[in-house]
Amino acid sequence: MPGTYRIFGSELSPYSVKVRSYFRYKKIPHEWVLRSMDKMPEFQKYAKLPLVPMVVTPEGQGIQDSSPIIEQMEAKFSEPSIHPKDPALYFLSCLIEEYADEWGNKPMFHYRWTYEADQLSAAERIAKDQMPPGSADPAVKATSQMVRQRMVPRLKFVGSSDQTKEIIEGSFKRQIAILEKHLAKRKYLFGNRPAYADFALYAQLYQCSTDPTPGAYMMQKAPNTLAWILRMLDLKSEGDFESWQDLKPTLFPLIRDEIGKIFFPWTAENAKAVAAGAKEFQMELDGRPYSQEPQKYHAKSLGVLKQKYAAIADKSALDPILEEAGCKKWLA
């Protein structure tokens, strides 16, 4: 089909389903292509990194990294906009998007590769995605074992360990509790239409909902969040963004208790460690010891967020919110 984009991704990749949800909402002609073994030659033709998602444009350009993909598409397909016109709401949406991509990925990855039931479930699904349809059970089992052996050791890269387990799982459960109250009164995070933040946060929690351990927790504790996830899979614009006055009672706790108290201290410490060339950083987070190997991409992403903040000309409505939430000091 002329003008059709191709999204190379995986159903088990939060960043892939994030981009797919955006394309569906915008009604951008696209084809969803599983990055299976038989598609690797085409994928490698356009990819600079061995990571999904990758979007191939009708002109034959390969684009990677979910946030730049969406921002590039938003410049081209501006309506319906995913950005509130209010500068304060615009930045808060970007802030939650950053939190979801960089910190929200930790609970998703932690649950998936820490517990045996989750490891087995995810490894088998990944193996089936990668292999030709109808592959024999012994081959699927062998590939599943290889996937599991490859992924479990990567827990250390997201900071998941016995030491940090309570921090990461506590963050997940706190986030769910906040979202349950917030989404009881509206369709999406910023009202009755999806914002930039929705695509990133839903994508991580969608993955959690498909895994045995966090999925069971969500089935018991998070009916409103699960309903929102289902809406994000088949999006419709059902209204407009709300005002901060209406959003604040239930959205502010996410910004204060998760972003101000957890995300910003962690991402700032990571950036400091990257700048110093350290091999590990240690800190206290949520009243407990936390350590991790620093990640350069997180530091780069934080720099982009600071640029977005600096670019807002009128911060008169935004800064009091950030100050009250304990976030402003981290954006200097």
Side-chain angles (χ1 to χ4, degrees), residues 7 10-11 13-26 28 30-34 53 55 69-70 199 202 206-207 232-233 235:
I7 306 172
S10 166
E11 196 69 36
S13 158
Y15 305 104
S16 295
V17 298
K18 170 187 172 184
V19 167
R20 183 181 65 186
S21 181
Y22 173 82
F23 270 70
R24 286 175 174 175
Y25 177 57
K26 290 288 185 162
I28 302 170
H30 67 277
E31 179 185 359
W32 173 252
V33 183
L34 285 176
V55 169
I69 288 170
I70 289 177
F199 295 96
Y202 121 84
Y206 168 62
Q207 298 300 322
M232 292 298 297
L233 291 171
L235 277 164

PDB file of all heavy atoms in Angstrom, residues 7 10-11 13-26 28 30-34 53 55 69-70 199 202 206-207 232-233 235:
ATOM      1  N   ILE A   7       6.151  -1.154  10.999  1.00  0.00           N
ATOM      2  CA  ILE A   7       6.633  -1.135  12.378  1.00  0.00           C
ATOM      3  C   ILE A   7       7.185  -2.519  12.702  1.00  0.00           C
ATOM      4  O   ILE A   7       6.428  -3.484  12.837  1.00  0.00           O
ATOM      5  CB  ILE A   7       5.511  -0.784  13.373  1.00  0.00           C
ATOM      6  CG1 ILE A   7       4.824   0.524  12.995  1.00  0.00           C
ATOM      7  CG2 ILE A   7       6.066  -0.721  14.791  1.00  0.00           C
ATOM      8  CD1 ILE A   7       3.576   0.820  13.826  1.00  0.00           C
ATOM      9  N   SER A  10       7.795  -6.245  18.632  1.00  0.00           N
ATOM     10  CA  SER A  10       7.456  -7.473  19.337  1.00  0.00           C
ATOM     11  C   SER A  10       6.318  -7.177  20.301  1.00  0.00           C
ATOM     12  O   SER A  10       6.283  -6.107  20.920  1.00  0.00           O
ATOM     13  CB  SER A  10       8.665  -8.002  20.117  1.00  0.00           C
ATOM     14  OG  SER A  10       8.280  -8.988  21.058  1.00  0.00           O
ATOM     15  N   GLU A  11       5.407  -8.119  20.431  1.00  0.00           N
ATOM     16  CA  GLU A  11       4.292  -7.960  21.360  1.00  0.00           C
ATOM     17  C   GLU A  11       4.782  -7.869  22.800  1.00  0.00           C
ATOM     18  O   GLU A  11       4.109  -7.321  23.660  1.00  0.00           O
ATOM     19  CB  GLU A  11       3.321  -9.133  21.215  1.00  0.00           C
ATOM     20  CG  GLU A  11       1.966  -8.911  21.834  1.00  0.00           C
ATOM     21  CD  GLU A  11       1.140  -7.859  21.096  1.00  0.00           C
ATOM     22  OE1 GLU A  11       1.219  -7.782  19.854  1.00  0.00           O
ATOM     23  OE2 GLU A  11       0.410  -7.113  21.778  1.00  0.00           O
ATOM     24  N   SER A  13       7.529  -6.285  23.727  1.00  0.00           N
ATOM     25  CA  SER A  13       8.350  -5.076  23.868  1.00  0.00           C
ATOM     26  C   SER A  13       7.453  -3.887  24.189  1.00  0.00           C
ATOM     27  O   SER A  13       6.621  -3.497  23.361  1.00  0.00           O
ATOM     28  CB  SER A  13       9.111  -4.802  22.563  1.00  0.00           C
ATOM     29  OG  SER A  13       9.500  -3.446  22.466  1.00  0.00           O
ATOM     30  N   PRO A  14       7.572  -3.292  25.391  1.00  0.00           N
ATOM     31  CA  PRO A  14       6.708  -2.153  25.711  1.00  0.00           C
ATOM     32  C   PRO A  14       6.872  -0.991  24.749  1.00  0.00           C
ATOM     33  O   PRO A  14       5.896  -0.312  24.411  1.00  0.00           O
ATOM     34  CB  PRO A  14       7.135  -1.774  27.133  1.00  0.00           C
ATOM     35  CG  PRO A  14       8.493  -2.361  27.308  1.00  0.00           C
ATOM     36  CD  PRO A  14       8.507  -3.606  26.480  1.00  0.00           C
ATOM     37  N   TYR A  15       8.083  -0.763  24.282  1.00  0.00           N
ATOM     38  CA  TYR A  15       8.315   0.368  23.389  1.00  0.00           C
ATOM     39  C   TYR A  15       7.717   0.118  22.006  1.00  0.00           C
ATOM     40  O   TYR A  15       7.327   1.048  21.319  1.00  0.00           O
ATOM     41  CB  TYR A  15       9.818   0.656  23.319  1.00  0.00           C
ATOM     42  CG  TYR A  15      10.400   0.878  24.692  1.00  0.00           C
ATOM     43  CD1 TYR A  15      11.162  -0.100  25.319  1.00  0.00           C
ATOM     44  CD2 TYR A  15      10.129   2.055  25.395  1.00  0.00           C
ATOM     45  CE1 TYR A  15      11.658   0.095  26.598  1.00  0.00           C
ATOM     46  CE2 TYR A  15      10.624   2.256  26.680  1.00  0.00           C
ATOM     47  CZ  TYR A  15      11.380   1.271  27.278  1.00  0.00           C
ATOM     48  OH  TYR A  15      11.862   1.451  28.557  1.00  0.00           O
ATOM     49  N   SER A  16       7.631  -1.164  21.610  1.00  0.00           N
ATOM     50  CA  SER A  16       6.988  -1.500  20.336  1.00  0.00           C
ATOM     51  C   SER A  16       5.490  -1.247  20.386  1.00  0.00           C
ATOM     52  O   SER A  16       4.918  -0.627  19.487  1.00  0.00           O
ATOM     53  CB  SER A  16       7.248  -2.972  19.990  1.00  0.00           C
ATOM     54  OG  SER A  16       8.609  -3.229  19.761  1.00  0.00           O
ATOM     55  N   VAL A  17       4.834  -1.721  21.451  1.00  0.00           N
ATOM     56  CA  VAL A  17       3.378  -1.542  21.518  1.00  0.00           C
ATOM     57  C   VAL A  17       3.022  -0.081  21.789  1.00  0.00           C
ATOM     58  O   VAL A  17       1.936   0.373  21.431  1.00  0.00           O
ATOM     59  CB  VAL A  17       2.735  -2.481  22.559  1.00  0.00           C
ATOM     60  CG1 VAL A  17       2.982  -3.936  22.173  1.00  0.00           C
ATOM     61  CG2 VAL A  17       3.213  -2.203  23.978  1.00  0.00           C
ATOM     62  N   LYS A  18       3.942   0.647  22.394  1.00  0.00           N
ATOM     63  CA  LYS A  18       3.758   2.095  22.576  1.00  0.00           C
ATOM     64  C   LYS A  18       3.624   2.778  21.216  1.00  0.00           C
ATOM     65  O   LYS A  18       2.690   3.565  20.981  1.00  0.00           O
ATOM     66  CB  LYS A  18       4.952   2.656  23.345  1.00  0.00           C
ATOM     67  CG  LYS A  18       5.050   4.174  23.425  1.00  0.00           C
ATOM     68  CD  LYS A  18       6.379   4.575  24.063  1.00  0.00           C
ATOM     69  CE  LYS A  18       6.639   6.070  24.013  1.00  0.00           C
ATOM     70  NZ  LYS A  18       7.991   6.421  24.548  1.00  0.00           N
ATOM     71  N   VAL A  19       4.541   2.474  20.314  1.00  0.00           N
ATOM     72  CA  VAL A  19       4.525   3.073  18.977  1.00  0.00           C
ATOM     73  C   VAL A  19       3.321   2.584  18.178  1.00  0.00           C
ATOM     74  O   VAL A  19       2.651   3.363  17.494  1.00  0.00           O
ATOM     75  CB  VAL A  19       5.850   2.758  18.248  1.00  0.00           C
ATOM     76  CG1 VAL A  19       5.746   3.091  16.758  1.00  0.00           C
ATOM     77  CG2 VAL A  19       7.000   3.540  18.883  1.00  0.00           C
ATOM     78  N   ARG A  20       3.007   1.306  18.283  1.00  0.00           N
ATOM     79  CA  ARG A  20       1.862   0.760  17.544  1.00  0.00           C
ATOM     80  C   ARG A  20       0.560   1.428  17.981  1.00  0.00           C
ATOM     81  O   ARG A  20      -0.283   1.771  17.142  1.00  0.00           O
ATOM     82  CB  ARG A  20       1.779  -0.748  17.760  1.00  0.00           C
ATOM     83  CG  ARG A  20       0.664  -1.413  16.963  1.00  0.00           C
ATOM     84  CD  ARG A  20       0.608  -2.910  17.217  1.00  0.00           C
ATOM     85  NE  ARG A  20       0.247  -3.215  18.601  1.00  0.00           N
ATOM     86  CZ  ARG A  20       0.240  -4.453  19.103  1.00  0.00           C
ATOM     87  NH1 ARG A  20       0.574  -5.489  18.327  1.00  0.00           N
ATOM     88  NH2 ARG A  20      -0.104  -4.668  20.357  1.00  0.00           N
ATOM     89  N   SER A  21       0.406   1.643  19.278  1.00  0.00           N
ATOM     90  CA  SER A  21      -0.793   2.297  19.790  1.00  0.00           C
ATOM     91  C   SER A  21      -0.909   3.709  19.227  1.00  0.00           C
ATOM     92  O   SER A  21      -1.998   4.155  18.850  1.00  0.00           O
ATOM     93  CB  SER A  21      -0.754   2.327  21.314  1.00  0.00           C
ATOM     94  OG  SER A  21      -1.903   2.938  21.836  1.00  0.00           O
ATOM     95  N   TYR A  22       0.211   4.411  19.159  1.00  0.00           N
ATOM     96  CA  TYR A  22       0.213   5.774  18.604  1.00  0.00           C
ATOM     97  C   TYR A  22      -0.219   5.756  17.137  1.00  0.00           C
ATOM     98  O   TYR A  22      -1.056   6.564  16.710  1.00  0.00           O
ATOM     99  CB  TYR A  22       1.601   6.394  18.742  1.00  0.00           C
ATOM    100  CG  TYR A  22       1.727   7.723  18.049  1.00  0.00           C
ATOM    101  CD1 TYR A  22       1.286   8.887  18.659  1.00  0.00           C
ATOM    102  CD2 TYR A  22       2.247   7.811  16.760  1.00  0.00           C
ATOM    103  CE1 TYR A  22       1.365  10.117  18.006  1.00  0.00           C
ATOM    104  CE2 TYR A  22       2.342   9.027  16.105  1.00  0.00           C
ATOM    105  CZ  TYR A  22       1.892  10.176  16.738  1.00  0.00           C
ATOM    106  OH  TYR A  22       1.968  11.384  16.071  1.00  0.00           O
ATOM    107  N   PHE A  23       0.343   4.846  16.343  1.00  0.00           N
ATOM    108  CA  PHE A  23      -0.013   4.768  14.925  1.00  0.00           C
ATOM    109  C   PHE A  23      -1.496   4.444  14.756  1.00  0.00           C
ATOM    110  O   PHE A  23      -2.161   4.973  13.855  1.00  0.00           O
ATOM    111  CB  PHE A  23       0.853   3.714  14.219  1.00  0.00           C
ATOM    112  CG  PHE A  23       2.134   4.259  13.658  1.00  0.00           C
ATOM    113  CD1 PHE A  23       3.164   4.673  14.492  1.00  0.00           C
ATOM    114  CD2 PHE A  23       2.318   4.365  12.288  1.00  0.00           C
ATOM    115  CE1 PHE A  23       4.351   5.167  13.989  1.00  0.00           C
ATOM    116  CE2 PHE A  23       3.501   4.867  11.761  1.00  0.00           C
ATOM    117  CZ  PHE A  23       4.523   5.278  12.613  1.00  0.00           C
ATOM    118  N   ARG A  24      -2.018   3.580  15.608  1.00  0.00           N
ATOM    119  CA  ARG A  24      -3.436   3.249  15.534  1.00  0.00           C
ATOM    120  C   ARG A  24      -4.294   4.474  15.842  1.00  0.00           C
ATOM    121  O   ARG A  24      -5.294   4.719  15.157  1.00  0.00           O
ATOM    122  CB  ARG A  24      -3.759   2.117  16.518  1.00  0.00           C
ATOM    123  CG  ARG A  24      -3.261   0.747  16.087  1.00  0.00           C
ATOM    124  CD  ARG A  24      -3.513  -0.286  17.179  1.00  0.00           C
ATOM    125  NE  ARG A  24      -3.167  -1.636  16.744  1.00  0.00           N
ATOM    126  CZ  ARG A  24      -3.205  -2.705  17.530  1.00  0.00           C
ATOM    127  NH1 ARG A  24      -3.575  -2.579  18.799  1.00  0.00           N
ATOM    128  NH2 ARG A  24      -2.876  -3.899  17.070  1.00  0.00           N
ATOM    129  N   TYR A  25      -3.911   5.210  16.855  1.00  0.00           N
ATOM    130  CA  TYR A  25      -4.689   6.391  17.251  1.00  0.00           C
ATOM    131  C   TYR A  25      -4.710   7.433  16.150  1.00  0.00           C
ATOM    132  O   TYR A  25      -5.751   8.030  15.840  1.00  0.00           O
ATOM    133  CB  TYR A  25      -4.093   6.979  18.523  1.00  0.00           C
ATOM    134  CG  TYR A  25      -4.764   8.255  18.984  1.00  0.00           C
ATOM    135  CD1 TYR A  25      -6.132   8.298  19.246  1.00  0.00           C
ATOM    136  CD2 TYR A  25      -4.023   9.421  19.177  1.00  0.00           C
ATOM    137  CE1 TYR A  25      -6.752   9.461  19.673  1.00  0.00           C
ATOM    138  CE2 TYR A  25      -4.631  10.582  19.615  1.00  0.00           C
ATOM    139  CZ  TYR A  25      -5.995  10.606  19.857  1.00  0.00           C
ATOM    140  OH  TYR A  25      -6.603  11.758  20.280  1.00  0.00           O
ATOM    141  N   LYS A  26      -3.568   7.616  15.523  1.00  0.00           N
ATOM    142  CA  LYS A  26      -3.461   8.621  14.462  1.00  0.00           C
ATOM    143  C   LYS A  26      -4.009   8.139  13.118  1.00  0.00           C
ATOM    144  O   LYS A  26      -4.077   8.914  12.163  1.00  0.00           O
ATOM    145  CB  LYS A  26      -1.989   9.021  14.290  1.00  0.00           C
ATOM    146  CG  LYS A  26      -1.416   9.818  15.450  1.00  0.00           C
ATOM    147  CD  LYS A  26      -1.980  11.224  15.467  1.00  0.00           C
ATOM    148  CE  LYS A  26      -1.316  12.048  16.543  1.00  0.00           C
ATOM    149  NZ  LYS A  26      -1.503  13.494  16.321  1.00  0.00           N
ATOM    150  N   ILE A  28      -2.538   6.258  11.066  1.00  0.00           N
ATOM    151  CA  ILE A  28      -1.452   6.304  10.087  1.00  0.00           C
ATOM    152  C   ILE A  28      -1.357   4.925   9.435  1.00  0.00           C
ATOM    153  O   ILE A  28      -1.231   3.915  10.141  1.00  0.00           O
ATOM    154  CB  ILE A  28      -0.104   6.659  10.761  1.00  0.00           C
ATOM    155  CG1 ILE A  28      -0.201   8.009  11.475  1.00  0.00           C
ATOM    156  CG2 ILE A  28       1.015   6.672   9.731  1.00  0.00           C
ATOM    157  CD1 ILE A  28       0.992   8.327  12.357  1.00  0.00           C
ATOM    158  N   HIS A  30      -0.188   1.612   8.384  1.00  0.00           N
ATOM    159  CA  HIS A  30       1.008   0.911   8.836  1.00  0.00           C
ATOM    160  C   HIS A  30       0.801  -0.596   8.806  1.00  0.00           C
ATOM    161  O   HIS A  30      -0.325  -1.090   8.787  1.00  0.00           O
ATOM    162  CB  HIS A  30       1.386   1.347  10.255  1.00  0.00           C
ATOM    163  CG  HIS A  30       0.397   0.943  11.299  1.00  0.00           C
ATOM    164  ND1 HIS A  30      -0.751   1.676  11.561  1.00  0.00           N
ATOM    165  CD2 HIS A  30       0.364  -0.118  12.152  1.00  0.00           C
ATOM    166  CE1 HIS A  30      -1.435   1.088  12.527  1.00  0.00           C
ATOM    167  NE2 HIS A  30      -0.793  -0.008  12.902  1.00  0.00           N
ATOM    168  N   GLU A  31       1.913  -1.286   8.825  1.00  0.00           N
ATOM    169  CA  GLU A  31       1.924  -2.743   8.907  1.00  0.00           C
ATOM    170  C   GLU A  31       2.751  -3.142  10.121  1.00  0.00           C
ATOM    171  O   GLU A  31       3.859  -2.636  10.321  1.00  0.00           O
ATOM    172  CB  GLU A  31       2.536  -3.333   7.630  1.00  0.00           C
ATOM    173  CG  GLU A  31       2.621  -4.855   7.635  1.00  0.00           C
ATOM    174  CD  GLU A  31       3.347  -5.402   6.416  1.00  0.00           C
ATOM    175  OE1 GLU A  31       3.772  -4.585   5.556  1.00  0.00           O
ATOM    176  OE2 GLU A  31       3.504  -6.629   6.336  1.00  0.00           O
ATOM    177  N   TRP A  32       2.206  -3.999  10.942  1.00  0.00           N
ATOM    178  CA  TRP A  32       2.906  -4.504  12.134  1.00  0.00           C
ATOM    179  C   TRP A  32       3.699  -5.739  11.715  1.00  0.00           C
ATOM    180  O   TRP A  32       3.141  -6.723  11.244  1.00  0.00           O
ATOM    181  CB  TRP A  32       1.889  -4.845  13.213  1.00  0.00           C
ATOM    182  CG  TRP A  32       2.424  -5.519  14.437  1.00  0.00           C
ATOM    183  CD1 TRP A  32       2.246  -6.819  14.795  1.00  0.00           C
ATOM    184  CD2 TRP A  32       3.187  -4.920  15.498  1.00  0.00           C
ATOM    185  NE1 TRP A  32       2.849  -7.082  16.012  1.00  0.00           N
ATOM    186  CE2 TRP A  32       3.435  -5.928  16.464  1.00  0.00           C
ATOM    187  CE3 TRP A  32       3.682  -3.636  15.727  1.00  0.00           C
ATOM    188  CZ2 TRP A  32       4.159  -5.699  17.633  1.00  0.00           C
ATOM    189  CZ3 TRP A  32       4.396  -3.402  16.885  1.00  0.00           C
ATOM    190  CH2 TRP A  32       4.637  -4.417  17.829  1.00  0.00           C
ATOM    191  N   VAL A  33       5.025  -5.685  11.876  1.00  0.00           N
ATOM    192  CA  VAL A  33       5.907  -6.767  11.426  1.00  0.00           C
ATOM    193  C   VAL A  33       6.653  -7.324  12.625  1.00  0.00           C
ATOM    194  O   VAL A  33       7.461  -6.610  13.249  1.00  0.00           O
ATOM    195  CB  VAL A  33       6.922  -6.266  10.370  1.00  0.00           C
ATOM    196  CG1 VAL A  33       7.776  -7.417   9.867  1.00  0.00           C
ATOM    197  CG2 VAL A  33       6.216  -5.554   9.223  1.00  0.00           C
ATOM    198  N   LEU A  34       6.382  -8.572  12.978  1.00  0.00           N
ATOM    199  CA  LEU A  34       7.136  -9.190  14.060  1.00  0.00           C
ATOM    200  C   LEU A  34       8.595  -9.347  13.631  1.00  0.00           C
ATOM    201  O   LEU A  34       8.871  -9.854  12.531  1.00  0.00           O
ATOM    202  CB  LEU A  34       6.558 -10.568  14.397  1.00  0.00           C
ATOM    203  CG  LEU A  34       5.245 -10.600  15.174  1.00  0.00           C
ATOM    204  CD1 LEU A  34       4.777 -12.035  15.338  1.00  0.00           C
ATOM    205  CD2 LEU A  34       5.414  -9.948  16.544  1.00  0.00           C
ATOM    206  N   PRO A  53      11.314  -0.843  18.942  1.00  0.00           N
ATOM    207  CA  PRO A  53      10.736  -0.843  17.609  1.00  0.00           C
ATOM    208  C   PRO A  53      11.621  -0.134  16.592  1.00  0.00           C
ATOM    209  O   PRO A  53      12.450   0.703  16.953  1.00  0.00           O
ATOM    210  CB  PRO A  53       9.440  -0.057  17.806  1.00  0.00           C
ATOM    211  CG  PRO A  53       9.800   0.946  18.864  1.00  0.00           C
ATOM    212  CD  PRO A  53      10.691   0.198  19.793  1.00  0.00           C
ATOM    213  N   VAL A  55      10.727   1.783  12.829  1.00  0.00           N
ATOM    214  CA  VAL A  55       9.737   2.155  11.824  1.00  0.00           C
ATOM    215  C   VAL A  55      10.455   2.432  10.516  1.00  0.00           C
ATOM    216  O   VAL A  55      11.438   3.175  10.487  1.00  0.00           O
ATOM    217  CB  VAL A  55       8.937   3.404  12.266  1.00  0.00           C
ATOM    218  CG1 VAL A  55       8.101   3.937  11.116  1.00  0.00           C
ATOM    219  CG2 VAL A  55       8.048   3.069  13.467  1.00  0.00           C
ATOM    220  N   ILE A  69      10.525   8.440  17.474  1.00  0.00           N
ATOM    221  CA  ILE A  69       9.589   8.007  16.433  1.00  0.00           C
ATOM    222  C   ILE A  69       8.278   8.772  16.562  1.00  0.00           C
ATOM    223  O   ILE A  69       7.763   9.345  15.596  1.00  0.00           O
ATOM    224  CB  ILE A  69       9.321   6.488  16.535  1.00  0.00           C
ATOM    225  CG1 ILE A  69      10.537   5.695  16.083  1.00  0.00           C
ATOM    226  CG2 ILE A  69       8.104   6.103  15.678  1.00  0.00           C
ATOM    227  CD1 ILE A  69      10.446   4.202  16.364  1.00  0.00           C
ATOM    228  N   ILE A  70       7.730   8.803  17.783  1.00  0.00           N
ATOM    229  CA  ILE A  70       6.450   9.479  17.992  1.00  0.00           C
ATOM    230  C   ILE A  70       6.585  10.979  17.748  1.00  0.00           C
ATOM    231  O   ILE A  70       5.711  11.592  17.115  1.00  0.00           O
ATOM    232  CB  ILE A  70       5.924   9.192  19.416  1.00  0.00           C
ATOM    233  CG1 ILE A  70       5.470   7.726  19.506  1.00  0.00           C
ATOM    234  CG2 ILE A  70       4.766  10.127  19.771  1.00  0.00           C
ATOM    235  CD1 ILE A  70       4.991   7.304  20.875  1.00  0.00           C
ATOM    236  N   PHE A 199       0.748   6.849  26.205  1.00  0.00           N
ATOM    237  CA  PHE A 199       1.355   5.826  25.359  1.00  0.00           C
ATOM    238  C   PHE A 199       2.521   5.137  26.066  1.00  0.00           C
ATOM    239  O   PHE A 199       2.681   3.916  25.963  1.00  0.00           O
ATOM    240  CB  PHE A 199       1.802   6.447  24.035  1.00  0.00           C
ATOM    241  CG  PHE A 199       0.662   6.955  23.207  1.00  0.00           C
ATOM    242  CD1 PHE A 199       0.290   8.296  23.248  1.00  0.00           C
ATOM    243  CD2 PHE A 199      -0.081   6.089  22.415  1.00  0.00           C
ATOM    244  CE1 PHE A 199      -0.783   8.765  22.507  1.00  0.00           C
ATOM    245  CE2 PHE A 199      -1.162   6.545  21.669  1.00  0.00           C
ATOM    246  CZ  PHE A 199      -1.516   7.886  21.720  1.00  0.00           C
ATOM    247  N   TYR A 202       1.074   3.290  29.643  1.00  0.00           N
ATOM    248  CA  TYR A 202       0.250   2.104  29.342  1.00  0.00           C
ATOM    249  C   TYR A 202       1.120   0.955  28.848  1.00  0.00           C
ATOM    250  O   TYR A 202       0.887  -0.228  29.180  1.00  0.00           O
ATOM    251  CB  TYR A 202      -0.826   2.446  28.302  1.00  0.00           C
ATOM    252  CG  TYR A 202      -0.756   1.623  27.046  1.00  0.00           C
ATOM    253  CD1 TYR A 202      -1.348   0.359  26.986  1.00  0.00           C
ATOM    254  CD2 TYR A 202      -0.037   2.081  25.933  1.00  0.00           C
ATOM    255  CE1 TYR A 202      -1.242  -0.416  25.828  1.00  0.00           C
ATOM    256  CE2 TYR A 202       0.068   1.324  24.795  1.00  0.00           C
ATOM    257  CZ  TYR A 202      -0.531   0.069  24.742  1.00  0.00           C
ATOM    258  OH  TYR A 202      -0.407  -0.698  23.612  1.00  0.00           O
ATOM    259  N   TYR A 206       0.859  -2.616  30.285  1.00  0.00           N
ATOM    260  CA  TYR A 206       0.292  -3.654  29.419  1.00  0.00           C
ATOM    261  C   TYR A 206       1.139  -4.913  29.503  1.00  0.00           C
ATOM    262  O   TYR A 206       0.620  -6.027  29.625  1.00  0.00           O
ATOM    263  CB  TYR A 206       0.211  -3.144  27.981  1.00  0.00           C
ATOM    264  CG  TYR A 206      -0.086  -4.215  26.954  1.00  0.00           C
ATOM    265  CD1 TYR A 206      -1.279  -4.942  26.997  1.00  0.00           C
ATOM    266  CD2 TYR A 206       0.817  -4.494  25.929  1.00  0.00           C
ATOM    267  CE1 TYR A 206      -1.554  -5.924  26.051  1.00  0.00           C
ATOM    268  CE2 TYR A 206       0.554  -5.471  24.983  1.00  0.00           C
ATOM    269  CZ  TYR A 206      -0.630  -6.182  25.046  1.00  0.00           C
ATOM    270  OH  TYR A 206      -0.893  -7.155  24.106  1.00  0.00           O
ATOM    271  N   GLN A 207       2.457  -4.734  29.446  1.00  0.00           N
ATOM    272  CA  GLN A 207       3.349  -5.887  29.571  1.00  0.00           C
ATOM    273  C   GLN A 207       3.157  -6.574  30.917  1.00  0.00           C
ATOM    274  O   GLN A 207       3.083  -7.801  31.003  1.00  0.00           O
ATOM    275  CB  GLN A 207       4.804  -5.451  29.393  1.00  0.00           C
ATOM    276  CG  GLN A 207       5.129  -4.869  28.036  1.00  0.00           C
ATOM    277  CD  GLN A 207       4.883  -5.839  26.901  1.00  0.00           C
ATOM    278  OE1 GLN A 207       5.128  -7.032  27.024  1.00  0.00           O
ATOM    279  NE2 GLN A 207       4.387  -5.325  25.780  1.00  0.00           N
ATOM    280  N   MET A 232      -6.320   1.720  25.356  1.00  0.00           N
ATOM    281  CA  MET A 232      -5.097   2.119  24.657  1.00  0.00           C
ATOM    282  C   MET A 232      -4.748   1.174  23.510  1.00  0.00           C
ATOM    283  O   MET A 232      -3.999   1.530  22.604  1.00  0.00           O
ATOM    284  CB  MET A 232      -3.929   2.180  25.638  1.00  0.00           C
ATOM    285  CG  MET A 232      -4.023   3.303  26.663  1.00  0.00           C
ATOM    286  SD  MET A 232      -4.035   4.965  25.924  1.00  0.00           S
ATOM    287  CE  MET A 232      -2.427   5.022  25.139  1.00  0.00           C
ATOM    288  N   LEU A 233      -5.297  -0.026  23.529  1.00  0.00           N
ATOM    289  CA  LEU A 233      -5.045  -0.969  22.446  1.00  0.00           C
ATOM    290  C   LEU A 233      -5.889  -0.670  21.212  1.00  0.00           C
ATOM    291  O   LEU A 233      -5.561  -1.101  20.109  1.00  0.00           O
ATOM    292  CB  LEU A 233      -5.320  -2.404  22.933  1.00  0.00           C
ATOM    293  CG  LEU A 233      -4.336  -2.947  23.976  1.00  0.00           C
ATOM    294  CD1 LEU A 233      -4.839  -4.263  24.536  1.00  0.00           C
ATOM    295  CD2 LEU A 233      -2.946  -3.110  23.386  1.00  0.00           C
ATOM    296  N   LEU A 235      -7.609   2.778  20.278  1.00  0.00           N
ATOM    297  CA  LEU A 235      -7.861   4.135  20.746  1.00  0.00           C
ATOM    298  C   LEU A 235      -8.899   4.912  19.959  1.00  0.00           C
ATOM    299  O   LEU A 235      -9.012   4.795  18.744  1.00  0.00           O
ATOM    300  CB  LEU A 235      -6.547   4.924  20.713  1.00  0.00           C
ATOM    301  CG  LEU A 235      -5.645   4.721  21.930  1.00  0.00           C
ATOM    302  CD1 LEU A 235      -4.255   5.221  21.629  1.00  0.00           C
ATOM    303  CD2 LEU A 235      -6.206   5.427  23.140  1.00  0.00           C
TER     304      LEU A 235
END
